[in-house]
Amino acid sequence: MFFRKLALMLAVTTALSASALACTTVVVGEGATADGSFLVARAADSSALKAQHFVIHPAKKNQSGMYRTKDHDGATNFEYPLPKESMRYTTVPNWKTQLHGAVGFNEAGVGISGTESIFARDDALKLDPYNEETGITEDDIHDVVLPRAKTAREGIEILGSIVETIGAGEGFGVVFVDQKEVWYFETGTGHQWMAHRTPKDTYFASGNQGRLQQYDAKSADFMASKTLVSWAEKNGFYDPKKDGEFNFSKAYCRDDARDRVYNDPRVWQIQKLFNPSLEQKPDEGRTYPVYLKPEKKLTVDDMKTMLRNHYEGTDHDPYSPVLNGNEPWRPISVFRTYESHVMHVRPWLPKEIGEVAYVGIGMADLSCYVPYYHGLESYPAHYGMGTDKADSKSIYWKYRKLQTLVMTDYQKLAPVVKAAYKTFEADTAKAQADMEKKYMEVVKKDPKAASKLLNEFNLKVMNDAEALTDDLTNQVFTIRTTDIQAANFFANNKRKD
């Protein structure tokens, strides 16, 4: 029975791995959140063996020379001048290259989540292809932009200029946030791009599709490549007389059968979660609203719930009531997710506590979202360990081992893990509120003491989450051992008969 369930688990994870590059992104404007903050959520999906490291890059002065992707064995031969003065910033990169930074903030308070893999239409790419030799990719964005961007807008300008002049090495969507605004940036073809400031009272959702549509060159809420509209018109992808208002997604982005079961259902599910009364067809993604005002104000917990979603309670759940490797709809939460995160930006607080990245390692549905504050000064050594082979030290593999065990009997074991993490997250949220209150009382009189308070608290939360994960692994292992022992007992008795 154990091996049968293991085979089913492998079938499900394989079936849900049709694309090597796949993510899900949600961006929430400050007027659509319960506390007036900005919220950004994204799941990064590629391989369960893609161990993630937590890195703090120190500020540097008097730099010269070039940043080169190949110096880190990255995806392309992209290179770009190093900033003379580099700001401190954080990333959660790939173990092998220390690139592909996923999520991070810099000392100016600019945050980036990237990237969402998106795809341009094939006929447009024939005329303006991705620069797969020297173009910028997900590998580079955090390490090129965060050291130098002092605002979200400046970050967009930097990335946009690179796409226009050097080119994008792939199609991607990127979130930029600071204390004043939050933006979503999408590439079109190799040298075309567009960014839109998320309207205050709305949220935006994407699942591996180019989703931006409206573009107003006269509005400060839009930014784009200089020839965005003219290039599309010149090459027959936009006709003002026939098409009316310019539509970025229609002009530049893929929309075909590949999107119907892999991408559309995720956006449909997100919009259904936040707007339950909305009636839409799961396979008509092009018709979905780009922005929606949620029926209730959204919270960090809502973002976590969304990232953990796998169509539970419906016939399209690939994990319950039985593992189903033939399920055609790709869920938000998949086993190959290597990390997911929620960025919480509260501009009315000092950046040290006002900017938090909640990171869940591995499969979101079976992981714990741990807060990492902007003011955290260092990570334990094993947060920078881990490769594509399991080990007994790295934080990544502690979570991964538990998740792998649970997937051998999801129906029985997942409730144990999910309940424990739910309680931990709720207790942590209360402790965070108490710590933040104390921090605000102390910081005005003694900033060093406030920093000490914050760091001791954050490290304790990290340690407690790790200890809980170790305990859950032992619990789950004991349950599975008992199950296998019982199965063997009855099998032996049967043979004696």
Side-chain angles (χ1 to χ4, degrees), residues 259-275:
D259 297 293
R260 301 292 78 86
V261 296
Y262 198 81
N263 302 331
D264 290 354
R266 280 180 285 155
V267 178
W268 172 85
Q269 177 67 91
I270 293 166
Q271 294 192 342
K272 193 67 175 175
L273 285 173
F274 301 154
N275 293 81

Side-chain angles (χ1 to χ4, degrees), residues 40-44 300-309 332-333 337 339-343 356-372 399 421-422 424-426 428-429 432 461-462 465 469:
V40 176
R42 189 173 66 87
V300 169
D301 283 344
D302 290 325
M303 297 297 103
K304 296 176 186 176
T305 299
M306 177 275 299
L307 289 169
R308 288 170 166 144
N309 186 272
I332 296 168
S333 181
T337 299
E339 69 83 25
S340 58
H341 55 263
V342 179
M343 304 173 78
V356 189
Y358 293 82
V359 180
I361 297 173
M363 184 180 184
D365 184 48
L366 300 175
S367 192
C368 182
Y369 282 98
V370 178
Y372 299 90
Y399 285 95
Y421 281 153
K422 181 178 181 180
F424 177 85
E425 289 177 5
T428 298
Q432 286 179 261
V461 170
M462 293 157 64
T469 301

Side-chain angles (χ1 to χ4, degrees), residues 139-304:
D139 272 0
D140 314 299
I141 293 170
H142 288 78
D143 292 293
V144 168
V145 177
L146 283 178
R148 48 174 41 98
K150 294 182 175 60
T151 65
R153 286 178 184 262
E154 184 180 8
I156 293 167
E157 289 172 353
I158 293 167
L159 181 56
S161 175
I162 291 171
V163 171
E164 285 183 70
T165 57
I166 301 174
E170 60 192 359
F172 51 73
V174 186
V175 185
F176 292 83
V177 62
D178 59 22
Q179 288 75 42
K180 295 182 178 180
E181 49 195 19
V182 61
W183 291 72
Y184 193 63
F185 176 115
E186 286 186 342
T187 57
T189 49
H191 297 82
Q192 302 293 344
W193 63 275
M194 173 184 162
H196 189 196
R197 179 182 180 183
T198 303
K200 178 179 179 180
D201 296 327
T202 71
Y203 70 91
F204 166 91
S206 179
N208 299 126
Q209 297 170 301
R211 293 267 297 135
L212 296 178
Q213 294 185 14
Q214 178 189 5
Y215 172 63
D216 182 354
K218 297 180 181 179
S219 171
D221 291 335
F222 294 86
M223 299 172 71
S225 48
K226 300 177 183 62
T227 59
L228 180 73
V229 178
S230 62
W231 188 91
E233 186 174 355
K234 175 184 176 182
N235 290 287
F237 302 116
Y238 170 56
D239 184 341
K241 294 181 180 179
K242 178 181 177 182
D243 300 327
E245 184 178 341
F246 176 76
N247 183 313
F248 174 78
S249 180
K250 184 178 179 181
Y252 283 98
C253 300
R254 188 189 80 186
D255 181 38
D256 59 29
R258 291 170 287 186
D259 297 293
R260 301 292 78 86
V261 296
Y262 198 81
N263 302 331
D264 290 354
R266 280 180 285 155
V267 178
W268 172 85
Q269 177 67 91
I270 293 166
Q271 294 192 342
K272 193 67 175 175
L273 285 173
F274 301 154
N275 293 81
S277 65
L278 186 65
E279 295 296 332
Q280 300 181 120
K281 293 183 178 180
D283 60 351
E284 294 185 356
R286 183 70 75 188
T287 67
Y288 300 161
V290 178
Y291 298 99
L292 278 171
K293 184 175 181 180
E295 292 180 16
K296 75 172 187 67
K297 297 296 181 72
L298 300 174
T299 66
V300 169
D301 283 344
D302 290 325
M303 297 297 103
K304 296 176 186 176

